[in-house]
Amino acid sequence: ARQGAPEAIVAEGKTPAEIRAIAQALLDAEASSVLVTRADAEARAALREVAPDAQEDERARLAWVARDVPEARGTVAIVSGGTSDLPVVREAQVRAELLGTNVVVHVDAGVAGLHRLEPALPDLKRADCVVVVAGWDAALASVVGGLVGAPVIAVPTSTGYGATFGGVSALLAMITSCAAGVAVVNIDDGFGAGTIAARIARQSA
Amino acid sequence: ARQGAPEAIVAEGKTPAEIRAIAQALLDAEASSVLVTRADAEARAALREVAPDAQEDERARLAWVARDVPEARGTVAIVSGGTSDLPVVREAQVRAELLGTNVVVHVDAGVAGLHRLEPALPDLKRADCVVVVAGWDAALASVVGGLVGAPVIAVPTSTGYGATFGGVSALLAMITSCAAGVAVVNIDDGFGAGTIAARIARQSA
Amino acid sequence: ARQGAPEAIVAEGKTPAEIRAIAQALLDAEASSVLVTRADAEARAALREVAPDAQEDERARLAWVARDVPEARGTVAIVSGGTSDLPVVREAQVRAELLGTNVVVHVDAGVAGLHRLEPALPDLKRADCVVVVAGWDAALASVVGGLVGAPVIAVPTSTGYGATFGGVSALLAMITSCAAGVAVVNIDDGFGAGTIAARIARQSA
Amino acid sequence: ARQGAPEAIVAEGKTPAEIRAIAQALLDAEASSVLVTRADAEARAALREVAPDAQEDERARLAWVARDVPEARGTVAIVSGGTSDLPVVREAQVRAELLGTNVVVHVDAGVAGLHRLEPALPDLKRADCVVVVAGWDAALASVVGGLVGAPVIAVPTSTGYGATFGGVSALLAMITSCAAGVAVVNIDDGFGAGTIAARIARQSA
Amino acid sequence: ARQGAPEAIVAEGKTPAEIRAIAQALLDAEASSVLVTRADAEARAALREVAPDAQEDERARLAWVARDVPEARGTVAIVSGGTSDLPVVREAQVRAELLGTNVVVHVDAGVAGLHRLEPALPDLKRADCVVVVAGWDAALASVVGGLVGAPVIAVPTSTGYGATFGGVSALLAMITSCAAGVAVVNIDDGFGAGTIAARIARQSA
Amino acid sequence: ARQGAPEAIVAEGKTPAEIRAIAQALLDAEASSVLVTRADAEARAALREVAPDAQEDERARLAWVARDVPEARGTVAIVSGGTSDLPVVREAQVRAELLGTNVVVHVDAGVAGLHRLEPALPDLKRADCVVVVAGWDAALASVVGGLVGAPVIAVPTSTGYGATFGGVSALLAMITSCAAGVAVVNIDDGFGAGTIAARIARQSA
Amino acid sequence: ARQGAPEAIVAEGKTPAEIRAIAQALLDAEASSVLVTRADAEARAALREVAPDAQEDERARLAWVARDVPEARGTVAIVSGGTSDLPVVREAQVRAELLGTNVVVHVDAGVAGLHRLEPALPDLKRADCVVVVAGWDAALASVVGGLVGAPVIAVPTSTGYGATFGGVSALLAMITSCAAGVAVVNIDDGFGAGTIAARIARQSA
Amino acid sequence: ARQGAPEAIVAEGKTPAEIRAIAQALLDAEASSVLVTRADAEARAALREVAPDAQEDERARLAWVARDVPEARGTVAIVSGGTSDLPVVREAQVRAELLGTNVVVHVDAGVAGLHRLEPALPDLKRADCVVVVAGWDAALASVVGGLVGAPVIAVPTSTGYGATFGGVSALLAMITSCAAGVAVVNIDDGFGAGTIAARIARQSA
Ligand SMILES: Nc1ncnc2c1ncn2[C@@H]1O[C@H](COP(=O)(O)O)[C@@H](O)[C@H]1O
Ligand SMILES: Nc1ncnc2c1ncn2[C@@H]1O[C@H](COP(=O)(O)O)[C@@H](O)[C@H]1O
Ligand SMILES: Nc1ncnc2c1ncn2[C@@H]1O[C@H](COP(=O)(O)O)[C@@H](O)[C@H]1O
Ligand SMILES: Nc1ncnc2c1ncn2[C@@H]1O[C@H](COP(=O)(O)O)[C@@H](O)[C@H]1O
Ligand SMILES: [Mg+2]
Ligand SMILES: [Mg+2]
Ligand SMILES: [Mg+2]
Ligand SMILES: [Mg+2]
Ligand SMILES: [Mg+2]
Ligand SMILES: [Mg+2]
Ligand SMILES: [Mg+2]
Ligand SMILES: [Mg+2]
């Protein structure tokens, strides 16, 4: 495992046989966990074949096996604008937990109704790192970025239609956010967000 | 004057002689006012030559002459995120006033500090139409759109650098805003915003 | 209901269970209506399960239930270039009607045959707000914008092939229209157009 | 002269010495005319040095010398939306005349005021080829294309600001125009439009 | 029929019932022909129901009925780079023939092997209008444009993968071609090319 | 000061008078420091007028005044590919130092010569947060991201020509980096990178 | 065979009958080999019908027949970042071998773990031409380009999601690589890479 | 010198002092030559200060000093479409010569007049590597690629206006060229083309 972090496998573009082989190799190398993302039923089954104790989340297209997850240190708060962003939220959550950190999740904090953000605020302010997951115009990132003092990792999602352009508009809004302290990962990249958020949270604890 | 609305002249790409000729023709046709936008010193001087009573705003690159402005009806509230957006704010304001409506302006309501929006709220909630002027990620449009019940006209500005792409990111964010009741005009188009906002406000009064 | 306006639910990306739950919550909160957009058969059935009196429009992928729709005030005229734009026209119409306004619809007013616009003109000139729905090069928006004095809300549609780029060319044409008094919503966003048009029409009546 | 048509020289990116040399070579080869486009004062002077009988148009950045222009055959009608498009109109006109055709020009036929197109209509309907020059959303192309039976050559111009993107929006609108019988040349390419229009007009006479 | 040209129907986005109704209306108005493009089996069947004498081309997704086609005048030559462009070639051919012109077709004149263009040259040089249909980098348009004296109509196609971007690269290459006398229609728009080419050819004969 | 972090002022688009006023207001509100970015000579002079103890960096277009900078905690390592990136490196450095953290800088670690990265490695591995500043194809971000275990903040720069598109290619490469643990800020946004890096470093110490 | 190189057939957009006809014509013309790319099962069967000795690779969507392959000269080394790039690697390999060169392949040399590149280095340094196949941010191209002295041909792949944009980000990174000696072919264009690499290798031997 | 190739210095974004320092360091390290590209008068003077024997080319914005250039091996042929491309041609030529290869140059082989390519053909067919430099639609690359058997390196240039988009259209055309054996470098990147071409030519000799 490079840098102490367990590898993950993007299932798209790989055959089940390849997924099995890579997962087996990681386990043989004593990876603390293995996470398969963008995994359809076949890909998830492939992991289970080499790791019968694997877990999965169908909607988030995830499969993973936890073998030697480090004790949780620090806290990551994940907040998103709606249930459509849930698969990305889950990917970030699973990844951060497998790296050994505590995760608290708040869904449906849409900006259009700012009051909906209120119940989440205490958790957001307490966290060592905040992950904002949002599609459409992703205004949630700027709003949260203006309210918390912790580092904010923003994940644009492909939620939306028309001029959302598969998450491009959200990406652009997040990367040009006037709120300081915000950095951005790839569209729908819950995995990337979970990784950097966990690193920040763990070393902050 | 088409549709009862006085014409305006975009100075860019026109010679002073052309500006003079068009302005004179509009005045001869008894336009209630003439507005020249994107006007450098020479273009503004051109208007003054045919209308010695013309006024101007150097920073907003505007010159205009009011001859028979209709009595003000209804109220437009204009709100923007920072002083860099002032030229666009002014263009919208002058246009709306020339069409015969009351205009109230709130600058520096940046979203990064949501509390900065509070002093403006009563005016925004009272207005017949709200114009939001914002560059960068334009999150202000979504926030205001979630707070008021009046129609919101959003104007993306070219304020910002890097991935703001001259206002494109702001335009995309505004047009994909989750807040309902928001419609968008061209980048830096204070004129267009002032026009539709005045129409809405006047017929609402 | 935020801002006095009933919420809507974008079905895409949501499970039937989530749609049921959100719809139920809105009804419990005494929403005057609930509208589900981008709804396939399953999503429409989900609404019917919690609201047996729900109506639907298959082609426009809509389901909605009207409970306490405000008395109609003001008039919105919707005009489109062809039958391919009908789903977006319908979404705008249903939304505007649920918000409590009168809607009159004219389809097939293609610009290529300007004479085809004539039958619609009296209605367009009478309306408190005009909604123009058009794909391809969306020239209809400029033509209508040059003929009416009311605020115009333009909806680009993804109708067309090749360099229409899923509605981008129509969006660009509408947002750069020389006709004053035109503002634009997202591609295929009948919902957004219906919302702001109804607000304008109601407060103008 | 390739294809019977005299060559032209794009001055941008060429030194005066190069322009002189190319022009001299064309004249030595008995070109019926030489046209220098995108020519600043220095470039225009370069042509005059080898052809003292050269003419020029400063605003359109043109210089040309007519030596053996064929007798005019057929008629090209050029129509544009405003005075800002004049340089492109002139480039098309000079090119078409040098190729030996009659040219009639109508400027300021903006779509926003359709009635402004009326004085031009008889000429447009009589022409063997119609050239439409327009910036912004270029709706003029669709409107003219819907009214005339002759082939229409559309020239998008870089007139406008914001989301006009230097003529891209006009190009997209023209190329996706619903009006049949319309074909498009490069942004600001009066030269290209003049060339194909003259070919069409001459062979139609 | 506007402008003397029979209408056509883009089937995509229309129901069979709508296609039947539009086709019937055109026939009732004594259209000289009716052409349905982008037509799947169902759409083609819809035309046959109202016009049992309709013909069709499955691969080109066309159905049409010829009732009163004008006597052929003038000649259009269509040349394309490969068999993948055949559907677009056919659409242009059928359209041009229905408008009353002679059409000669040369497929597989790929630029990569310039010698392959030779057999087509006599026909290209004889034609009143040349239509070039090409995908990928569309270099064929520049090559043909440099060889013939007639007006050239270029049709970019969506043939290709990777950075062809569905025909965008071909469109850009064609619109910036150094060869004079070339104008461009929409990506895959055989219909548009056939229309303007037939107009040019008929009036040149 | 929002979120405990001192505000900064983007000078572009602001008059010297406005910069003076904002700076004065921040100082009156006891900001621990004031930083003016994108500041030409006039803008830097404006800060000096209200804060005679201001420092500046001409090439990085920065002016700043430190009043009550918190004691340094944690370490940020900044690495860049070449001297052309220096202005952005400096902006990140000054910002991070003003927020109270130790900064170590390594310039000229171009990927083309990987060995050039070696002298920087010990510092990179020791840091609490690594900032990678790179233009062109920004491969440096992936290389560094693969070597260190700390959170990596990547800053794309507008260094380069041609298809670098003002930093867009670098931004895209950084945001799609295969290296986990990398998040990205706006093009040339040293300020944003310095802000989040300092937050991470301080809370990690 | 143009230029001594055997032709290839892109199957997409062609009917099986067309593939058979073209393949037969190539074989009749004594092509040294025939390669069909982007070939589904039907297209591969089409080749087998005219060439029973054809071979195929389902995952790489290839079918080919070798008849008179020149003796191998020179060596091409192909290196890629992961198993998802395998289809493109194979296309390059088969093409280069059919042109008569030796090919050595190294898969899974991801940049994120630079050490993974080490086993490949001796082969890369020995090769007459190196082909780098990479998706995502394609940093591998810059890294390899910085390590070898031979010409490097870079193939961006469409591997990845979000802001990889189907290979566009990889293409941009490769074309702006700071490493000298790198040139780029189309996205997923193993065929193009194999062709130029084989030419380089053969003439270098 | 990395990879045996002497380094080069992009002057843009560097101070004269930095250029002097880097050049001195390269010379101290016994670079066989030093080349400064994108060099204005000041940057060129900087090189002369540390290397009085430096040569320069003002129009191509180059300065270089040759100290120990390897004996020339192999031949590179450079061909371009017009004099506007000369600066890029020169950059490629100087770079290739400094790396130790013979260079032959043919300018003005525009595709629009294919016959203009003829005088260059013998040299192109003899060369070990052909470099094609072209702006506008860059059709020259496909034409040359279809005529020669050597590897072709294509350099898109920013020559042109309108939809040439600063060389993007040329880049897209070149990268999607149907001619096999073509690979592409960055827009205006004569340096990159000269580097890979010289490597190919030298190892082929
Ligand atoms: N067709 C539509 N287009 C745009 N916005 C919509 C549409 N339908 C619903 N909305 C709004 O978009 C937001 C999406 O929120 P959610 O349904 O929670 O994802 C809600 O505020 C809806 O009111
Ligand atoms: N304004 C213009 N726009 C487009 N093409 C032009 C223009 N003026 C001249 N041309 C053509 O563009 C080509 C440029 O060639 P050159 O002048 O050699 O760079 C020539 O074939 C000219 O005929
Ligand atoms: N170089 C910079 N890049 C990005 N944001 C900045 C920069 N400098 C300052 N900011 C922030 O951007 C916002 C711009 O607000 P204003 O200065 O009012 O236009 C403020 O919140 C600043 O803290
Ligand atoms: N005109 C040019 N285009 C592209 N790369 C260049 C050019 N001139 C030099 N280079 C290379 O680009 C890299 C830039 O590095 P630097 O000069 O340190 O910014 C060096 O590796 C140079 O060899
Ligand atoms: Mg930011
Ligand atoms: Mg909206
Ligand atoms: Mg407008
Ligand atoms: Mg068309
Ligand atoms: Mg052209
Ligand atoms: Mg990443
Ligand atoms: Mg390069
Ligand atoms: Mg190719």
Side-chain angles (χ1 to χ4, degrees), chain C residues 8-203:
Chain C
I9 304 166
V10 184
E12 266 170 6
K14 299 203 177 70
T15 62
E18 285 169 352
I19 293 169
R20 269 196 311 269
I22 301 175
Q24 188 63 66
L26 292 172
L27 292 171
D28 290 350
E30 313 227 323
S32 60
S33 66
V34 172
L35 174 59
V36 189
T37 65
R38 321 285 141 152
D40 58 17
E42 230 184 9
R44 297 195 302 268
L47 180 65
R48 273 196 316 270
E49 278 173 63
V50 299
D53 53 331
Q55 305 174 61
E56 60 180 293
D57 181 320
E58 184 188 337
R59 191 181 181 191
R61 290 193 296 149
L62 296 173
W64 68 94
V65 54
R67 285 286 159 87
D68 186 27
V69 169
E71 205 180 340
R73 281 171 47 200
T75 304
V76 170
I78 307 179
V79 58
S80 89
T83 51
S84 313
D85 299 322
L86 260 178
V88 179
V89 167
R90 279 293 285 158
E91 189 178 295
Q93 177 180 17
V94 169
R95 173 63 171 170
E97 287 174 351
L98 289 178
L99 291 181
T101 202
N102 302 296
V103 178
V104 48
V105 171
H106 287 272
V107 174
D108 194 2
V111 164
L114 270 187
H115 55 276
R116 290 197 266 170
L117 191 55
E118 256 156 65
L121 268 185
D123 275 342
L124 298 184
K125 294 201 162 162
R126 228 184 336 250
D128 298 301
C129 182
V130 175
V131 174
V132 181
V133 178
W136 297 94
D137 67 333
L140 187 62
S142 282
V143 172
V144 169
L147 291 170
V148 306
V152 174
I153 301 302
V155 195
T157 69
S158 53
T159 305
Y161 59 78
T164 59
F165 299 131
V168 171
S169 296
L171 167 53
L172 292 176
M174 283 167 157
I175 213 121
T176 61
S177 170
C178 288
V182 179
V184 186
V185 298
N186 194 10
I187 297 165
D188 290 332
D189 189 6
F191 173 81
T195 305
I196 188 169
R199 289 188 186 185
I200 293 171
R202 284 181 61 81
Q203 72 185 34

Side-chain angles (χ1 to χ4, degrees), chain D residues 82-143:
Chain D
T83 52
S84 313
D85 299 323
L86 259 178
V88 179
V89 168
R90 278 292 285 159
E91 191 177 296
Q93 177 181 14
V94 170
R95 173 64 171 170
E97 287 174 350
L98 289 178
L99 292 181
T101 201
N102 302 294
V103 178
V104 48
V105 171
H106 287 272
V107 174
D108 195 2
V111 164
L114 269 186
H115 54 275
R116 290 198 266 172
L117 191 55
E118 257 156 64
L121 269 185
D123 277 342
L124 298 184
K125 294 201 162 162
R126 226 185 338 249
D128 297 302
C129 181
V130 175
V131 173
V132 182
V133 178
W136 295 95
D137 66 332
L140 187 63
S142 282
V143 172

Side-chain angles (χ1 to χ4, degrees), chain A residues 112 136-137 142 146 163 169 172-173 176 178, chain B residues 112 136-137 142 146 169 172-173 176 178:
Chain A
W136 296 94
D137 67 334
S142 281
S169 296
L172 292 177
T176 61
C178 286
Chain B
W136 296 95
D137 67 332
S142 282
S169 297
L172 292 177
T176 61
C178 287

